[in-house]
Structure formats: C-alpha cells, structure tokens
Amino acid sequence: HAKDTVEHLTEAAGVAAADGNWDRVADCYQRREVILSQARLSPEALTRVMTLDCRIEEQIKIAQAGLRSLLDEAATTRQRIQGLRRWNGALSSDSGTIERHV
C-alpha cells in the first residue's frame, strides 16, 4: 500500500476504532508494526502518533466498559431465567422452557 505510513495507519486505526471496527484496528496496528521495525520516526511524528494512540486507547476503554456492562446485564438476566425455571420446575416437569400455569 503506497499510503502506508505510521501516521496514516494510526489515523486509519483511529477511524476504525470510532466505528467499532476492531479487526481493522488490529490490522492497522500490525501493518504499522512492520513499518516501525524498519524505520525511525521524527520526534514530531512520534508525538503525533502517540497522541493518536492515546485517543484510540480511550475509545478501547469505552468499548470495554460497554461490553462489561452488557455482560453484567446478560448474567443478571440469565440468573433471573434460572430462578424462574427453578420456580416453574416445582410446578411442572423440567423441559427447559417456561410454561404458564393458571
């Protein structure tokens, strides 16, 4: 890729992170690592890249917090369903489904 520079790939990773496209973020960082292993950045470019990295890190932390919240909510829902099944099991056979008893 002709436009593959450390800065360009970091910017692309930032856009992908904002979109939640984590596979693309990983791809950009992998390609960037190859370039960094072969070249040095100027102090100015290094500062820009590090600033972008900090922004991407914040986006990752926000996404992780959102996922933790969703996982906690799913665990709570699962516990409620298991409680309903146990309660319903006293009234019917354990078929794995919740039946309505009137």
Side-chain angles (χ1 to χ4, degrees):
H1 302 282
K3 285 191 166 186
D4 278 1
T5 66
V6 171
E7 289 179 90
H8 174 75
L9 288 169
T10 305
E11 289 171 3
V15 170
D19 291 341
N21 187 346
W22 304 111
D23 289 337
R24 175 82 173 125
V25 173
D27 177 61
C28 289
Y29 273 97
Q30 286 172 353
R31 290 171 35 208
R32 186 180 94 161
E33 188 175 324
V34 171
I35 294 170
L36 283 172
S37 71
Q38 301 168 356
R40 294 198 181 270
L41 291 179
S42 70
E44 298 80 19
L46 184 59
T47 299
R48 286 190 298 270
V49 167
M50 289 176 62
T51 300
L52 288 169
D53 281 347
C54 288
R55 289 183 193 153
I56 293 168
E57 182 181 2
E58 286 303 313
Q59 291 172 317
I60 290 169
K61 287 178 182 178
I62 290 168
Q64 287 173 333
L67 286 172
R68 269 193 299 278
S69 176
L70 288 172
L71 289 171
D72 289 346
E73 186 178 320
T76 300
T77 300
R78 185 176 54 248
Q79 288 172 348
R80 287 181 184 154
I81 289 171
Q82 287 172 346
L84 286 171
R85 284 183 178 157
R86 280 192 295 275
W87 175 80
N88 191 47
L91 301 175
S92 68
S93 65
D94 185 17
S95 65
T97 59
I98 297 174
E99 298 176 12
R100 183 174 168 194
H101 294 277
V102 186

